[in-house]
Amino acid sequence: MPAAHAAALAELRDERSLIAYVTQARAALREDWSPETGGRPWGQRHSELIDAVLRRLVAIAAERAGGMPTGVALLAMGGYGSRVLAPYSDVDLAFLVDRDDDPPLLREAFRLVMDVLLSGAKIKIGYGYRRLSDLSQGELDHQTQTALLDARLLVGDGALFARFDRQLAETLHLADFLFFKEAERRRVRARAGETPYTVEPDLKEGAGGLRDVQTALWMAQARLNLKGD
């Protein structure tokens, strides 16, 4: 399926046709869901579709901007980074750079993402602009560090992403991160419910819910220096 998306998208060059493709492909995915297929496989297929679209958008941006420069990469973040993109979840992205100038590719790629996915296909987009130096200077808060744990390279400078991955592991203050995540979950569970045995349990934030599972995975990733999937 990823190859099929890539082949179909390679024929599209203008925003209107790209918007139509994303909209129709997502509608087909929603119609194809069933309890038997399960949520995780569906989320993976949804992620693969958005991956293919974003790679095509960056390729078009590179054509319009005169090429793909080194020192630039587009990363998938958060739940999208872990390849489990729910139907109405934000598509979280980060433009990672390690250069002093502002290459035209970045502006054109950002414009295309906003025009095609946000304005056109009505997909919520979360985005950030990260310099590699941000990691070494310790300027990232715990929420950002958590999202970066699930980061994966979509397109761009692979060597830059490898350096980013190493620096993230080296600069993450483990004890501080683990303490923060546990304290955060205690605060949220106090509000959402300390037990799953309620009439209307909070499946996302309540005890035993999605966030508890994700927090356990994030803590394991940080402690063992592993990438989630």
Side-chain angles (χ1 to χ4, degrees):
M1 185 61 72
H5 287 311
L9 287 162
E11 304 297 322
L12 308 179
R13 309 189 68 83
D14 64 278
E15 286 85 338
R16 181 173 295 182
S17 62
L18 289 161
I19 291 168
Y21 184 89
V22 178
T23 303
Q24 293 166 8
R26 294 180 80 223
L29 269 178
R30 286 193 294 269
E31 292 175 2
D32 193 45
W33 182 87
S34 69
E36 289 73 23
T37 59
R40 186 175 183 87
W42 191 96
Q44 291 172 337
R45 292 169 62 196
H46 192 201
S47 298
E48 290 167 355
L49 166 63
I50 302 302
D51 286 358
V53 172
L54 285 166
R55 287 172 182 140
R56 181 58 183 150
L57 294 180
V58 173
I60 293 172
E63 292 173 7
R64 296 178 181 179
M68 183 75 187
T70 59
V72 176
L74 179 61
L75 311 184
M77 305 266 287
Y80 174 45
S82 61
R83 294 186 176 87
V84 187
L85 186 61
Y88 300 103
S89 289
D90 294 6
V91 172
D92 291 322
L93 303 170
F95 291 91
L96 178 66
V97 297
D98 185 30
R99 50 191 300 146
D100 296 327
D101 63 339
D102 183 18
L105 170 94
L106 286 178
R107 295 191 295 273
E108 183 62 19
F110 180 79
R111 187 191 67 78
L112 282 170
V113 169
M114 295 299 110
D115 288 352
V116 172
L117 296 183
L118 179 64
S119 300
K122 309 303 180 186
I123 300 172
K124 291 184 288 185
I125 303 294
Y127 61 89
Y129 182 83
R130 302 291 173 198
R131 293 187 179 276
L132 196 63
S133 57
D134 292 346
L135 275 71
S136 59
Q137 294 170 4
E139 296 180 354
L140 303 181
D141 58 31
H142 291 93
Q143 296 289 356
T144 303
Q145 289 175 333
T146 301
L148 290 174
L149 282 175
D150 289 324
R152 60 185 173 88
L153 178 66
L154 287 170
V155 62
D157 192 331
L160 172 62
F161 178 70
R163 290 166 57 200
F164 154 83
D165 216 22
R166 288 195 302 271
Q167 286 196 27
L168 178 63
E170 292 168 358
T171 57
L172 186 70
H173 297 290
L174 182 59
D176 189 36
F177 180 82
L178 297 179
F179 177 82
F180 177 86
K181 297 311 294 183
E182 176 58 24
E184 179 185 50
R185 288 308 305 148
R186 288 181 182 275
R187 287 195 302 271
V188 174
R189 282 200 303 268
R191 181 177 67 249
E194 292 286 355
T195 173
Y197 301 109
T198 61
V199 175
E200 295 183 0
D202 187 329
L203 299 180
K204 181 177 181 180
E205 299 288 3
L210 176 63
R211 280 289 184 257
D212 275 354
V213 175
Q214 290 176 327
T215 298
L217 291 173
W218 289 324
M219 294 171 77
Q221 284 174 239
R223 177 66 180 84
L224 302 174
N225 192 23
L226 299 174
K227 295 296 288 183
D229 191 2

